[in-house]
Amino acid sequence: MNIKLTQTLPKTHTQKILKKEAKSKDAACLVVLIDDKKNILAESVLSDYQTRIEQLIEVSHFNGKACETVADYALAGDKKTTKENPVQLLLVGVGNVDKLRHSVLEKIANTIYKSTQKRVNSITVALGDSLEENQFSQFALSLLAASYRFDKYKSEQQTPVLTDIYLLAESSLEDSLDFAQAVFTGQSLTRDVANEPGNICFPAYMAEQAQELAATYPDLLKVTVLGEDEMSALGMNCFLSVAQGSTKEGKLVLMEYRGKSNFSVNTDGDTNKTITNSAKVAGGLKALADKLPTKAASKKAAKNAEQNSEDNANAANNDAPIVLVGKGVTFDSGGISIKPGAAMDEMKFDMGGSAAVLGTLKALCEARLPINVVGALACAENMPSGEATRPGDIIRAMNGKSVEILNTDAEGRLVLCDTLCYVQKYYQPKAIIDVATLTGACVVALGHVRSAVFSNDEDVLFDLENASNLSGDLIWHMPMDDEYQAQIDSPIADIQNIGGKGAGAVTAACFLSRFIEEGQAWAHLDIAGTAWVSGQDKAATGRPVPLFMQYLKNSANMA
């Protein structure tokens, strides 16, 4: 879909009357927005059409309710009076202009697209100065998102006639439109990979998608993929416990976006000892060392540099990456704790967190934001087999903590906890945000409107809530009181992977918090209710790519 700003109204199409019938694909349409008081939005730029618009409102008894429509197809007039085929008009109601929040703008955008996609090849939406900048960005993204299609597996595909959208608005909104287009590009990738079936999209497929991105944007993006041997060498046994039931190898995909600087990565510590003690490392030390991030300056050197110059230390902190960690369970059968059969096909969407991180990294590359970001895709397939983890097993995470597995269907937190340990050890992030389709309890709590956010840092929480309001990709702050932690204490291990029936979304967040080091800013997003739509029209939504991009854009502007 092509979308552009314009400051001119569409031109009329002329034709010779009665000699050839006008084809709908050759037609243009002017979309006019009307509020519930029958006021014409952007009236000042529509003076040439005002009489025609007012007549159409009157004869159609148009009330301007949100998503109400009426069309004037502008059929050719009497050949004695005109030889013009005028531009079509589509009046669309917006309701109360004081209540044009994101959900309403999205419905209006969908209405416009559905009303025109099959009959005109271009539309001009008259906006003028009727929308604020963030409303304009939300509206533009919603128009683009309405055009998204995933029909590659259908034998017969219908291509929409509509190919071009022009937004009649102020030229100062050009940057906002460019940003919306970048977000749409990333959001579409998120939806594409999440909509793929599990026999196509498995961990290696996700790694391939990331590597293709790195090849497309070699100046911005570096991708490293760790397999099961490398993760075993690092002691990432929680992650491996999920992957071991499947014939598909688990993958940890690390995407380093250097939009600001060539940030440092730490490899100090006991990594060599871990490698030496592991019997599963293929190729020995070099096999893993080649896949670890580039070695950074030693801690001692970093400490000396900090003492020499506080400004340099602040600059280094500003260059530290924000890390996005995505749960990537490409199909979740539940493992030995197998799920009910009904709607199990939708468990292909259980990699929605990693899909969102992948899409965000693509959007970042398109927008070229001046910020450093690492995306970590924790990808595994959770299947029952003779090799699968059993309820009651005890495993040890990368940070040494022992975990009692009470339910193998609480697997997302297991791939995430080891990934959180990894990114803290090697990237020293400014902030970590993990995103996961983690709990059904979150759907019970918040439904499908808002994603849940848990955080240990007020600044990160405030920035995410601000991004939520600006993008319209809504979140809701959830509690994580210390009193909830007792629910995941194990009598025989350091921690158990479920906390009982009560507060399931909260105890899942508490589990992850056990793997966050003191002083590390962190937030957890549970998108179980917002990553996809269920039922007959099941499909990925692409959330929370708009939220992440707004958050990163704001962070880049503040740096």
Side-chain angles (χ1 to χ4, degrees), residues 238-527:
C238 284
F239 193 123
L240 295 172
S241 73
V242 178
Q244 71 188 45
S246 173
T247 58
K248 305 293 187 184
E249 183 181 11
K251 303 285 185 183
L252 174 57
V253 184
L254 302 161
M255 308 174 69
E256 299 173 3
Y257 172 82
R258 289 176 165 85
K260 184 177 182 182
S261 64
N262 191 22
F263 55 84
S264 295
V265 183
N266 176 50
T267 57
D268 288 341
D270 59 355
T271 307
N272 290 342
K273 180 179 178 182
T274 303
I275 294 170
T276 303
N277 291 339
S278 174
K280 294 185 178 180
V281 180
L285 177 62
K286 188 175 184 302
L288 178 57
D290 288 345
K291 291 193 173 186
L292 286 176
T294 307
K295 183 175 178 63
S298 68
K299 290 182 178 178
K300 182 177 180 181
K303 184 176 180 180
N304 290 337
E306 183 178 358
Q307 292 173 344
N308 291 337
S309 173
E310 185 176 347
D311 290 340
N312 287 344
N314 290 335
N317 183 59
N318 287 335
D319 287 350
I322 293 172
V323 176
L324 306 178
V325 176
K327 172 188 171 184
V329 177
T330 54
F331 186 80
D332 181 20
S333 70
I336 297 299
S337 307
I338 196 163
K339 291 177 178 290
M344 193 193 286
D345 59 292
E346 293 184 12
M347 287 301 96
K348 70 176 185 176
F349 295 120
D350 207 24
M351 41 68 72
S354 63
V357 173
L358 180 70
T360 299
L361 268 291
K362 178 166 185 177
L364 271 174
C365 291
E366 286 287 312
R368 305 186 75 89
L369 292 182
I371 190 172
N372 293 331
V373 178
V374 173
L377 317 182
C379 300
E381 187 178 59
N382 187 24
M383 297 289 283
S385 75
E387 298 295 325
T389 297
R390 298 164 289 267
D393 285 359
I394 296 177
I395 52 180
R396 198 168 295 277
M398 183 178 174
N399 66 352
K401 291 186 177 181
S402 59
V403 179
E404 181 185 13
I405 307 301
L406 297 184
N407 190 317
T408 63
D409 194 25
E411 83 300 329
R413 65 202 70 184
L414 299 177
V415 297
L416 288 175
C417 71
D418 272 338
T419 306
L420 290 171
C421 292
Y422 183 94
V423 298
Q424 287 172 97
K425 183 179 181 69
Y426 293 109
Y427 291 107
Q428 294 84 51
K430 183 184 299 184
I432 301 173
I433 304 172
D434 75 72
V435 55
T437 52
L438 207 60
T439 65
C442 183
V443 185
V444 173
L446 297 178
H448 305 285
V449 177
R450 291 178 182 262
S451 303
V453 60
F454 304 79
S455 183
N456 67 352
D457 187 274
E458 290 185 357
D459 291 336
V460 173
L461 178 61
F462 174 82
D463 291 341
L464 283 170
E465 288 180 329
N466 184 42
S468 169
N469 292 331
L470 291 174
S471 66
D473 192 348
L474 300 178
I475 60 175
W476 189 258
H477 181 207
M478 298 283 281
M480 198 171 56
D481 304 78
D482 290 341
E483 287 77 7
Y484 290 110
Q485 293 283 353
Q487 291 182 229
I488 54 172
D489 287 336
S490 167
I492 57 174
D494 294 325
I495 186 174
Q496 60 192 36
N497 76 326
I498 58 172
K501 292 183 178 180
V506 179
T507 54
C510 289
F511 180 93
L512 295 176
S513 74
R514 298 275 186 107
F515 298 86
I516 301 299
E517 297 173 4
E518 186 71 27
Q520 174 64 63
W522 162 76
H524 159 62
L525 280 176
D526 193 331
I527 59 169

Side-chain angles (χ1 to χ4, degrees), residues 148 150 182-196 205-206 209-210 212-213 217 255 351 354-363 540 542 545:
Y148 174 82
F150 188 82
V183 175
F184 171 67
T185 302
Q187 192 172 16
S188 295
L189 176 60
T190 293
R191 296 169 80 176
D192 282 344
V193 296
N195 284 328
E196 288 286 357
Y205 175 88
M206 293 297 291
Q209 297 301 304
E212 287 179 12
L213 272 189
Y217 307 97
M255 308 174 69
M351 41 68 72
S354 63
V357 173
L358 180 70
T360 299
L361 268 291
K362 178 166 185 177
V545 174

Side-chain angles (χ1 to χ4, degrees), residues 79-115:
K79 65 180 181 179
K80 294 181 179 179
T81 59
T82 180
K83 290 187 177 182
E84 283 192 343
N85 181 27
V87 172
Q88 298 183 24
L89 281 182
L90 175 67
L91 305 188
V92 180
V94 300
N96 188 335
V97 291
D98 295 327
K99 296 182 179 180
L100 283 180
R101 56 187 182 276
H102 174 262
S103 60
V104 179
L105 290 169
E106 184 178 41
K107 290 176 182 177
I108 293 169
N110 287 334
T111 298
I112 292 172
Y113 183 80
K114 290 178 180 178
S115 299

